[in-house]
Amino acid sequence: MVTYKVRVATGKDLMSGTFDCISLTVVGTLGESHKQRLDHFGRDFAPGSIGRYTIQCDQDLGELILIRLHKERSTFFPKNSWYCNYVQIYTPACITYHFPVYQWIDGYETLELREGTGKTVLDENLPILLTHRQEELRAKQDFYRWRVFVPGLPNYVHIPSYHPPVRHRNPNRPEWNGYIPGFPILINIKATKYLNSNLRFSAVKTASFFLRLGPASLGMKLRGLLDEKRSWKRLKEIRKIFPATKTAISEYVYNHWKEDQFFGYQYLNGINPGLLKRCLCLPEKFPVTDDMVAPSLGEGTCLQAELEKGNIYLADYRILEGIPTVQLNGKQQYHCAPLCLLHCGPQGDMMPIAIQLSQTPGPESPIFLPTDPEWDWLLAKTWVRYAEFYCHEAISHLLETHLIGEAFSLATIRQLPMCHPLYKLIIPHTRYTIQINSIGRALLLNKGGLSDRAMSLGLAGFAEVMCRALAETKYEDLYLPNDFIRRGVQDLPRYYYRDDCLAVWGALETYVSEIINYYYRNDAAVERDTELQAWVREIFNECFLGRESSGFPTCIRTVPELIRYVTIVIYTCSAKHAAVNTGQLEYTAWMPNFPSSMRCPPMQEKGLTTEESFMESLPDVKTSCIVLLVLWTLSKEPDDKRPLGHFPDIHFVEETPWKCIQNFKERLAQISCNIRERNKALPIGYSYLDPALIENSISI
């Protein structure tokens, strides 16, 4: 008789435990055990528990390769789901086998899992294990299917339609259907509730997310803000939307939003810091003259000289041109696609020097200057900030992190088995992404959602911006070190976003390189990995819609190519999202700094803008509140957070990958220390890429 010692770990979430009966079968190269029950009358699998058991076998099972977890009906309790972290088995020869689980078992079923050593399909030498990985992929591909979201945008996970059972209902007991009191957006609770359990938020995160949204929206309702369709009377009145939500940065925005220096600073270290490009030659559509900008450039220089020195920068919003607007609260909204010219002075300050509110120059599209009347110049800058809203929310945030990150996540789940090294490497960076995107589609891109009720472009226009951006997305642009060079900002002073981005990127790329070089000894191992190649092809087809002009690979042939590709995937799903998401509320709580709609046409003449006409141009009270309420919800510090490099789920079981993870953590800790030390000397610190504040995945 041979005795094996077993440890079974249940997840720590409040709802992870089960009263159902759990049994175990162990499979080795020399045979398999009988199915043996583990629980003692339903008391062993409480949340956070680690149960200890013994398995008796008639013979030595040899090398352990698989286990089967059986979840069956309890005699005394109704069915409930169980989240298992892992199973560890200790052999009489003092060998420990680790079986990662990290998933829910919802019904009465058997889950077959393999030992945790990372292996590509080329490493398999046992037919039973090759068959297991094939069956695992087939099951996941049958269950998780792609679905067209909007033609021209990345596809997403198909959520099976829910048909509730027919039942009698008490008419005196109304049921909550997902409508937040006072909040005019119906959250599609059914669409998220019927996601597979392994894609959903934990109980803690679910409760905190919706409990946070409800009181805030109800508070606005009680103050009457969500029913006000009028203009704001005074600028200071806007402060009462979130009077208690103040940070050092939000206060700085409120106090300095009118200043040219802060306007330029936001291009470098705000929430959309990837737009600005060095301008060596003015485009014909933006006929700025030397006389126009001479007062801004100062003595002893001219526009051509500053262009040649590389001190002139351009923000071009051409991607927004020609998109029709909608009516909000019975009033027509307006739109523009501006051009903004900026100058980096001797002190390193980025200052706006010229703004044109259309892509077509002419008498009806004057070029606004800092020397113009105060309200003209302020309204011109506000129109640029309005364009920033769409380039940030539609492109930098929703498309380039959420939607692309979701496609990366779904392809990883569908095409890589749990034992694959790339699955183990990437899966921590997919946590909760599909769930938050399901909520986001309901909040932002649904009939009655934010884009439909609070944006000048409406639902169709907002989607059109993203479609245009995806059609122009290039693979090389997602490789951040090259992007800074392409935009000509690699040596721009006071560009803390770039500095921190490159530091985090370098740490991540080193970590990815160490892991990949451990599992892939040569280029042939990469090229012959059929699962890897299927993963890459699926991303090309489902995320980038098979567009060859994107430059996204359809196959990967070398180890360096794979390192670059995986670094892009993980950075997109973690640090890139943090850079554009974390500061949303701080930069948008003061609405004039980031308006989602404009209620008057762009100015066609100078000298006509007044404080009254400026206030009339801004979003009305109701629109402002809807936007800020959603952005407040989607940018709050997430509960159940896992910072970058924090991997409590044990997917890698070998010693070398664990050393790589520890090295990664140490590098991130040093970067965090450097950022905090630098920020002590800055009037406004940049912390959005502090590794301690970056989450492993897109979960908010």
Side-chain angles (χ1 to χ4, degrees):
M1 187 70 68
V2 180
T3 301
Y4 293 86
K5 295 181 180 179
V6 178
R7 298 174 70 196
V8 180
T10 296
K12 296 181 180 180
D13 186 55
L14 293 176
M15 306 302 291
S16 294
T18 186
F19 291 106
D20 290 337
C21 298
I22 305 297
S23 302
L24 178 68
T25 302
V26 182
V27 180
T29 54
L30 300 180
E32 65 180 68
S33 71
H34 297 295
K35 172 182 165 185
Q36 298 190 37
R37 181 167 169 173
L38 300 181
D39 62 293
H40 302 118
F41 305 105
R43 295 176 296 178
D44 291 50
F45 303 105
S49 66
I50 298 179
R52 291 168 172 82
Y53 314 93
T54 58
I55 297 287
Q56 302 290 337
C57 299
D58 296 333
Q59 63 179 37
D60 184 356
L61 300 180
E63 178 187 351
L64 304 188
I65 55 175
L66 292 170
I67 61 170
R68 299 187 190 104
L69 281 172
H70 312 274
K71 182 168 172 284
E72 299 168 308
R73 184 185 303 274
S74 168
T75 306
F76 306 103
F77 300 99
K79 178 177 69 175
N80 60 340
S81 299
W82 178 45
Y83 188 89
C84 180
N85 279 348
Y86 60 82
V87 175
Q88 286 181 335
I89 302 178
Y90 304 86
T91 72
C94 298
I95 299 174
T96 302
Y97 290 90
H98 188 90
F99 295 82
V101 184
Y102 301 108
Q103 55 186 295
W104 289 93
I105 306 177
D106 288 323
Y108 302 133
E109 57 186 294
T110 295
L111 184 64
E112 189 173 75
L113 300 147
R114 60 183 291 160
E115 190 271 331
T117 301
K119 291 185 178 182
T120 70
V121 67
L122 300 175
D123 299 323
E124 298 292 12
N125 51 23
L126 294 175
I128 187 175
L129 294 182
L130 183 60
T131 300
H132 178 270
R133 70 191 299 144
Q134 292 170 344
E135 290 179 350
E136 178 191 338
L137 289 179
R138 186 158 45 246
K140 291 195 295 186
Q141 290 164 14
D142 285 343
F143 191 85
Y144 300 106
R145 295 179 179 272
W146 292 97
R147 181 177 183 179
V148 175
F149 172 35
V150 172
L153 290 182
N155 296 328
Y156 75 115
V157 66
H158 172 68
I159 302 172
S161 300
Y162 168 64
H163 302 286
V166 177
R167 57 192 174 94
H168 295 289
R169 175 177 169 272
N170 184 349
N172 298 317
R173 186 182 179 185
E175 296 179 351
W176 185 55
N177 61 1
Y179 191 82
I180 307 295
F183 186 55
I185 296 174
L186 180 64
I187 300 176
N188 193 352
I189 295 293
K190 291 176 182 176
T192 59
K193 179 178 179 181
Y194 294 95
L195 277 173
N196 175 262
S197 298
N198 293 305
L199 303 180
R200 296 205 304 261
F201 287 169
S202 65
V204 170
K205 190 173 181 70
T206 299
S208 65
F209 184 92
F210 290 108
L211 290 176
R212 188 166 59 224
L213 176 61
S217 57
L218 184 58
M220 283 189 177
K221 180 71 173 179
L222 293 175
R223 285 183 285 153
L225 296 175
L226 287 172
D227 298 320
E228 291 277 7
K229 299 180 181 180
R230 61 172 176 82
S231 301
W232 295 98
K233 297 176 182 177
R234 297 174 301 278
L235 285 171
K236 288 186 177 180
E237 186 186 11
I238 301 171
R239 290 271 280 175
K240 73 179 184 178
I241 300 180
F242 285 117
T245 306
K246 295 180 181 180
T247 67
I249 293 179
S250 67
E251 287 299 287
Y252 193 96
V253 173
Y254 172 70
N255 291 316
H256 298 274
W257 70 283
K258 291 183 179 181
E259 299 171 8
D260 288 355
Q261 183 178 4
F262 180 65
F263 178 90
Y265 171 88
Q266 292 185 81
Y267 279 108
L268 305 182
N269 304 303
I271 55 176
N272 190 33
L275 179 72
L276 204 63
K277 295 180 180 179
R278 176 169 276 152
C279 181
L280 300 176
C281 179
L282 285 177
E284 292 184 2
K285 64 182 179 180
F286 198 12
V288 179
T289 66
D290 195 61
D291 289 341
M292 290 178 182
V293 297
S296 298
L297 299 179
E299 298 181 357
T301 190
C302 64
L303 180 57
Q304 184 58 38
E306 293 302 300
L307 285 166
E308 292 174 0
K309 292 177 185 176
N311 292 332
I312 302 298
Y313 294 84
L314 178 65
D316 187 348
Y317 298 90
R318 61 168 183 78
I319 200 166
L320 303 177
E321 185 179 19
I323 299 179
T325 59
V326 299
Q327 287 191 1
L328 296 178
N329 301 318
K331 184 174 178 62
Q332 183 64 43
Q333 306 297 297
Y334 295 91
H335 180 65
C336 77
L339 294 142
C340 180
L341 202 66
L342 300 102
H343 175 242
C344 185
Q347 306 303 316
D349 293 327
M350 185 67 67
M351 305 287 282
I353 59 175
I355 293 173
Q356 180 177 290
L357 298 182
S358 79
Q359 296 285 307
T360 305
E364 295 183 347
S365 182
I367 296 175
F368 293 90
L369 308 167
T371 53
D372 288 338
E374 175 187 359
W375 288 104
D376 279 355
W377 181 236
L378 181 61
L379 185 53
K381 289 191 295 182
T382 302
W383 270 108
V384 174
R385 295 301 300 164
Y386 158 84
E388 271 287 291
F389 177 93
Y390 286 94
C391 286
H392 169 265
E393 292 297 342
I395 302 173
S396 302
H397 186 199
L398 187 54
L399 172 65
E400 293 183 351
T401 64
H402 279 268
L403 300 186
I404 290 178
E406 180 178 19
F408 290 160
S409 300
L410 186 54
T412 299
I413 293 170
R414 282 173 42 88
Q415 296 297 342
L416 300 176
M418 290 177 62
C419 64
H420 198 289
L422 293 184
Y423 178 95
K424 295 172 180 288
L425 181 59
I426 295 170
I427 201 64
H429 307 285
T430 70
R431 185 172 182 254
Y432 297 152
T433 298
I434 293 175
Q435 164 84 76
I436 192 61
N437 279 11
S438 297
I439 294 173
R441 272 184 281 271
L443 283 173
L444 302 174
L445 299 169
N446 200 23
K447 185 70 175 175
L450 173 61
S451 58
D452 191 43
R453 301 178 65 95
M455 296 185 189
S456 286
L457 300 185
L459 178 57
F462 192 73
E464 173 64 18
V465 174
M466 291 190 289
C467 290
R468 291 182 180 186
L470 184 66
E472 296 182 4
T473 299
K474 299 288 189 290
Y475 179 61
E476 285 302 312
D477 295 345
L478 298 189
Y479 186 71
L480 268 296
N482 284 0
D483 179 64
F484 293 121
I485 296 172
R486 178 185 63 83
R487 294 191 290 115
V489 295
Q490 67 274 21
D491 56 356
L492 194 58
R494 301 183 185 178
Y495 197 6
Y496 309 121
Y497 159 76
R498 176 204 58 215
D499 300 340
D500 298 350
C501 170
L502 291 176
V504 174
W505 181 279
L508 179 58
E509 191 170 41
T510 300
Y511 165 60
V512 170
S513 177
E514 291 173 348
I515 295 290
I516 287 179
N517 278 301
Y518 175 73
Y519 288 103
Y520 291 93
R521 302 297 184 180
N522 50 53
D523 293 343
V526 172
E527 189 167 12
R528 293 171 57 210
D529 185 346
T530 54
E531 293 166 344
L532 159 63
Q533 303 303 337
W535 175 64
V536 171
R537 282 195 303 274
E538 183 149 293
I539 290 173
F540 175 74
N541 289 324
E542 302 294 344
C543 182
F544 300 100
L545 309 180
R547 185 170 52 84
E548 293 182 1
S549 61
S550 69
F552 273 81
T554 57
C555 63
I556 292 180
R557 294 187 171 88
T558 69
V559 171
E561 287 177 12
L562 180 58
I563 292 170
R564 171 177 288 203
Y565 192 94
V566 174
T567 303
I568 288 172
V569 168
I570 297 178
Y571 187 87
T572 298
C573 295
S574 56
K576 186 173 184 177
H577 177 254
V580 298
N581 177 75
T582 308
Q584 277 191 111
L585 187 60
E586 292 182 314
Y587 279 90
T588 62
W590 180 243
M591 179 271 291
N593 188 56
F594 210 59
S596 67
S597 63
M598 297 293 275
R599 298 185 300 149
C600 295
M603 306 96 77
Q604 296 181 339
E605 296 182 55
K606 295 186 179 185
L608 301 180
T609 308
T610 64
E611 182 176 3
E612 290 72 24
S613 63
F614 180 85
M615 298 302 297
E616 275 295 317
S617 296
L618 294 177
D620 60 38
V621 176
K622 180 177 181 179
T623 300
S624 303
C625 290
I626 292 173
V627 171
L628 291 182
L629 183 58
V630 172
L631 295 183
W632 177 79
T633 303
L634 296 179
S635 62
K636 292 293 288 180
E637 180 75 13
D639 293 288
D640 195 11
K641 177 181 177 180
R642 293 182 178 177
L644 185 62
H646 179 65
F647 306 128
D649 295 352
I650 306 171
H651 289 285
F652 287 111
V653 301
E654 302 98 310
E655 183 178 359
T656 297
W658 269 101
K659 288 182 179 179
C660 297
I661 291 172
Q662 295 309 310
N663 293 337
F664 183 41
K665 288 182 177 179
E666 291 173 7
R667 287 189 288 268
L668 293 176
Q670 185 60 55
I671 294 170
S672 181
C673 181
N674 295 343
I675 289 173
R676 296 181 185 198
E677 189 64 29
R678 176 201 66 201
N679 285 346
K680 291 178 182 179
L682 299 178
I684 176 171
Y686 183 77
S687 300
Y688 301 139
L689 286 174
D690 181 343
L693 303 178
I694 298 171
E695 192 163 7
N696 265 334
S697 61
I698 300 169
S699 71
I700 191 65

